[in-house]
Amino acid sequence: MRGVFRNIGRTLLQAIPTMMGIILISFLLLHLMPGDAVDAIAGMSGSASVETMDAMREVYGLNDNLVVQFWNYIAGVLTLNFGYSISYSAPVLDVIMERLPATLTLMMSAFLLALVMGILVGWAMAVFAGKWPDRLLTSTSLLFYSAPNFWVGLMIIVVFSGTLRWFPSGGAETIGASLEGWAWFADRVTHLVLPSIALAAFFMAIYARLTRAAMLEVLRQDYIRTAAAKGIHPLVIQFRHGLRNALIPVTTVAGLHLGNLLGGAVVVETVFNWPGLGRLTMNALAARDNQVLLGILLLSSVAVIATNLVIDWLITLLDPRIRA
Amino acid sequence: MSRKTPVLELLNLRVGFPGAEIVKGINLQIHEGEKLALVGESGCGKSLTAFSILRLLPQGAAINGGQVIYDGLDLATLPAWQLRRIRGKGIALILQEPMTSLNPVLPIGLQIAENIRSHETMSRKAVNERVIELLDLVGIANPRERAKMYPHNFSGGMRQRVMIAMAIACNPRLLIADEPTTALDVTIQAQVMDLLEDLCSKLNMAMLLITHDLGAVAQWADRVAVMYSGRIAEMAPIEPFFTGPKHPYSQGLLNSSVEDDWHYSDTRLTEIKGTVASAAGEKGCAFAPRCPYAAAECRLSPPELQSVAPGWVAACARLDAIRALSEGAAHVPA
Amino acid sequence: MTDATLIKPRRRLRLPQSLKDPLFALAVIVFTLVILMAIFADLIAPTDPQDMVNMPFLWPFEDSYSPLGTDQLGRDLYSGIVHGSRSTLAVGFSAAIFGLVIGTAVGATAGYFGGWIDAALMRLTEIFQTMPTMLLIIVLLAIGDPSIPLIAISIGLAAWPMIARLARAEFKALREADFVMASKALGYPTSRIITREILPNAMPTLVVGASVLVANGILLESAVSFLNLGDPNVVSWGSLIGNGRTQIRSEWYLSALPGLATVLTVLSLNIIGDRLTDILNPRSKVRDA
Ligand SMILES: Nc1ncnc2c1ncn2[C@@H]1O[C@H](COP(=O)(O)OP(=O)(O)OP(=O)(O)O)[C@@H](O)[C@H]1O
Ligand code: SF4
Ligand SMILES: [Mg+2]
């Protein structure tokens, strides 16, 4: 157990420079973007004289040199002050936090779906390696791997919402229905199904391919022969000795894809009118609300880092060699 | 003597990959409690022979013919579920590489317990006690704590001891050890071999010992089978074999073993094995291209095993001529 | 010992087999056709995809003049798909080249020099890998007006870490190779060793990696234009899908067909990349994916 904590502590320490780098990049981007906060306020209020704008710049510290500004920016970020959203007239943090849970829900359910399905499919592919089930599943996963997630989303809306009417086509809950308890939960889940599938399809294909390769690699190892020599059942060999080991590289790579997954969520959300960061991003972009855009980038990166910590912990559970 | 009952009998066993026969018809018997050494250069098919006994062949390889008789059953054709009852219980296997033959993510105690649990119905507690007893038996200190540790916590020699504990967990009648000490330090090698010998006599267990180490053969085996290019070249009791091997290949082995590194150096000669012998449909003795006594008669057909003395056979067409030569000259040409 | 000897013959057998695969041939044909379609778009589909040329909402095969139908403004979908391939492929390829250059530079430096340089550059790679790709692209797009170069640069900037990891692994391995050692012993300058000795050997792997990058670039471009963040004056497959979205319940073909074109193109690229990986490296590198 001590090893687990040491390992997580190390990852946490490594996350600090990563976070600093992301803060620096978003600071640079803020300065590359046309216009500053004062321009935006002036644009909102309709008209402002050059003098008032300059005075405001002085107040907001926008006339200081870049190093000072960067210092203030870091101080702001560390105190969770991401600035003020002009288009929403509220602190950026509040605007984002209101929508982050919806995005994380979608992201996590898609991630789990992709991981579980991907591993099962990949395992089946490895078991039937070279035979027709393998070829069928390999082609199918290659197809998913090649399809844009928003298009998958639209197509499953046509089939499962339009034609079959199994699931709603958008939103996170039935509007106007005041449900409670299980009914509320079931309503949320039915809304979650299609967007999760649309987002998961691509990653499921990746994890399936990875699991297949890892499984075939593992099944070649000497310890599989040792296990078979003990007379244990082939299924036990497949799961306890094969899959257990194959999960380590698969989970490791899955961690690397979290950023992509969250990025994909942004696109899928717009297809399904999911009330998360995706729509907020599009609105902020349209309103040129740069503070909100960068706040989203920063906070979603934090979310990725945090999820990565969980994955690291999972890997230490899977692999005793790391725990040592 | 009880030695006369065979535990395992290979009858004309042939094993190969698609398009390449590696083991070309082997006949041998291992008797109750006997230690039979199988020697031969790299790639001659020793491991494939060993793996085919329990049908644990690598991907692509298959038994192409012959029988593996154990307990009146032919393991080569036995249904998988019946074979599983023999794996680990009647016949156990130890592999060469202790670093890779244990599962890195499972505690070693569990890996040993797996063997017991798949053959015996015992309470969880009894299994644990048995695991600790076994670890103690193979000379691992603090077995209770060590059972919870993972393979990476052990040194190579210790891992091989764990492998041995796993193999003997169900008192097998036959232990197949494929180069059990090759990957270990010299000092550790002797310890592990001593342990194996000790366990063989304690448990009245027969052993098929595959090795490169002729020293180990002389010290620990009762009988030796020399393999060349997928066939048995000579099979003999230990003492007479080391004083006067009959087959030219065996003679070469004994001569070059003085240099100690015969196995991995020039004796490989893969190009001869690959082109002349196997690809050309193999007219005669596979050893002919390297044999100092090779003559025209050697290239007619693969020589059959002939009896040289009781319990001693060799596969060479010119045994008589060679005997005459070596009696004439004082030394055996290398 | 035994396992190592098992692999050699397989490698020899696999090389021609992978290329003879009919699927691979099909993928090459499809991808070539798509490229030809982009080059000769004006010849194949003379109607301007932005012009209203026919009745709105014609279904595919309903009217021979608009074989794949028309959208809500009577614009020709066939022409849209043919012309849309241009910007989609242009962005996909230039983003991939851009990503390949950055990724190779970063990965090669990290892998060759090792030590703190490696540590620092890998941290940089991780930073870019942590930021959600699509969000980073959107933020980069906020810097200027939407245009094909800006979109390509944004995608390249977001997608290079994968190549960097590949390049690093390759360079790290090749650094120790005999021929590199020999050049070092001969006193060749480092720049020569990197560009003339190692890079050519690492190139096959990197090119296969780049095929994945092109596929990713096409997918990301289509997402960008689907979100209406692309150049409004240029038709692309993503913008066609986005345009069809409002009628998805009734005229679903408006989204389905350009999407199908995207899938086919990306699929053929992925198949090509897959087969080439098999040849370079029969035991696929699990950890580098
Ligand atoms: N896929 C394959 N196709 C054809 N031949 C193969 C294949 N894999 C291995 N071989 C051959 O099978 C033989 C392997 O034999 P085996 O492993 O039994 O040798 P060994 O006597 O145990 O050698 P070592 O002392 O090195 O362990 C080698 O000659 C090898 O060249
Ligand atoms: S048969 Fe001939 S070639 Fe073969 S070992 Fe005997 S003498 Fe040598
Ligand atoms: Mg062997």
Side-chain angles (χ1 to χ4, degrees), chain C residues 17 27 45-46 55 80 92 96 112 149 165 180 246 250 252 254:
Chain C
Q17 229 173 35
M55 304 215 323
Y112 186 81
R165 280 176 189 278
V180 176
T246 36
S250 42
W252 50 265
L254 286 176

Side-chain angles (χ1 to χ4, degrees), chain A residues 51-123:
Chain A
E51 289 80 37
T52 16
M53 283 174 70
D54 224 41
M56 280 166 77
R57 285 205 169 88
E58 199 58 46
V59 172
Y60 283 109
L62 294 175
N63 288 340
D64 298 340
N65 75 34
L66 278 183
V67 177
V68 175
Q69 284 197 42
F70 182 52
W71 184 249
N72 290 335
Y73 189 77
I74 291 186
V77 170
L78 290 184
T79 54
L80 292 182
N81 174 9
F82 295 93
Y84 193 79
S85 161
I86 295 122
S87 52
Y88 289 86
S89 308
V92 168
L93 184 68
D94 296 356
V95 176
I96 294 176
M97 286 319 273
E98 205 179 307
R99 287 157 181 86
L100 189 62
T103 295
L104 288 184
T105 309
L106 175 59
M107 178 186 151
M108 285 322 288
S109 85
F111 182 63
L112 290 180
L113 183 69
L115 204 57
V116 171
M117 288 298 295
I119 288 169
L120 285 179
V121 170
W123 173 72

Side-chain angles (χ1 to χ4, degrees), chain C:
Chain C
M1 246 273 140
T2 33
D3 270 355
T5 50
L6 300 184
I7 299 143
K8 245 182 284 150
R10 243 177 103 181
R11 180 178 286 232
R12 229 184 303 130
L13 278 175
R14 212 146 171 191
L15 195 139
Q17 229 173 35
S18 307
L19 287 187
K20 270 189 229 146
D21 186 353
L23 203 61
F24 178 78
L26 196 67
V28 172
I29 292 171
V30 168
F31 193 64
T32 316
L33 286 180
V34 172
I35 288 181
L36 289 177
M37 179 166 97
I39 295 175
F40 298 110
D42 292 326
L43 288 174
I44 304 170
T47 33
D48 187 325
Q50 307 267 39
D51 280 353
M52 305 171 209
V53 291
N54 212 330
M55 304 215 323
F57 292 136
L58 283 175
W59 274 71
F61 313 122
E62 203 179 325
D63 181 319
S64 63
Y65 183 67
S66 300
L68 296 183
T70 55
D71 71 357
Q72 68 271 38
L73 295 177
R75 293 178 292 198
D76 184 34
L77 186 57
Y78 167 71
S79 170
I81 291 178
V82 171
H83 286 266
S85 65
R86 280 192 166 172
S87 64
T88 304
L89 287 183
V91 172
F93 271 102
S94 36
I97 292 170
F98 191 59
L100 187 65
V101 171
I102 306 180
T104 308
V106 172
T109 316
Y112 186 81
F113 292 103
W116 68 267
I117 297 182
D118 183 25
L121 287 176
M122 285 328 281
R123 208 26 36 88
L124 184 73
T125 310
E126 205 180 303
I127 288 170
F128 274 86
Q129 207 150 27
T130 303
M131 289 188 282
T133 320
M134 202 55 215
L135 275 177
L136 180 60
I137 292 172
I138 291 174
V139 171
L140 286 168
L141 288 176
I143 292 176
D145 288 326
S147 66
I148 287 186
L150 180 67
I151 295 173
I153 290 175
S154 307
I155 294 176
L157 262 182
W160 62 267
M162 179 210 116
I163 294 287
R165 280 176 189 278
L166 268 182
R168 173 175 178 267
E170 263 325 88
F171 270 70
K172 222 174 159 173
L174 286 170
R175 181 177 65 177
E176 314 292 343
D178 287 341
F179 64 95
V180 176
M181 290 300 184
S183 333
K184 271 189 197 159
L186 286 174
Y188 286 154
T190 309
S191 60
R192 188 200 143 106
I193 294 177
I194 291 182
T195 54
R196 298 264 201 88
E197 311 280 339
I198 303 185
L199 196 60
N201 283 288
M203 219 51 207
T205 311
L206 295 177
V207 168
V208 173
S211 75
V212 177
L213 213 55
V214 176
N216 269 342
I218 290 175
L219 288 180
L220 288 170
E221 189 278 339
S222 67
V224 166
S225 47
F226 171 77
L227 293 175
N228 249 328
L229 304 178
D231 187 337
N233 301 315
V234 178
V235 177
S236 98
W237 290 341
S239 66
L240 288 173
I241 300 173
N243 176 51
R245 217 191 124 188
T246 36
Q247 291 83 231
I248 190 69
R249 295 274 181 150
S250 42
E251 281 76 28
W252 50 265
Y253 64 91
L254 286 176
S255 291
L257 294 180
L260 222 50
T262 318
V263 174
L264 273 180
T265 310
V266 177
L267 184 64
S268 61
L269 260 172
N270 280 331
I271 292 175
I272 295 171
D274 251 26
R275 292 300 185 274
L276 293 179
T277 314
D278 276 357
I279 292 164
L280 287 178
N281 172 18
R283 311 177 71 182
S284 55
K285 289 180 194 165
V286 176
R287 278 159 204 274
D288 290 336

Side-chain angles (χ1 to χ4, degrees), chain A residues 6-20:
Chain A
R6 185 160 5 111
N7 190 53
I8 289 184
R10 197 176 55 219
T11 330
L12 212 56
L13 268 176
Q14 282 174 352
I16 292 173
T18 307
M19 207 51 234
M20 287 316 241

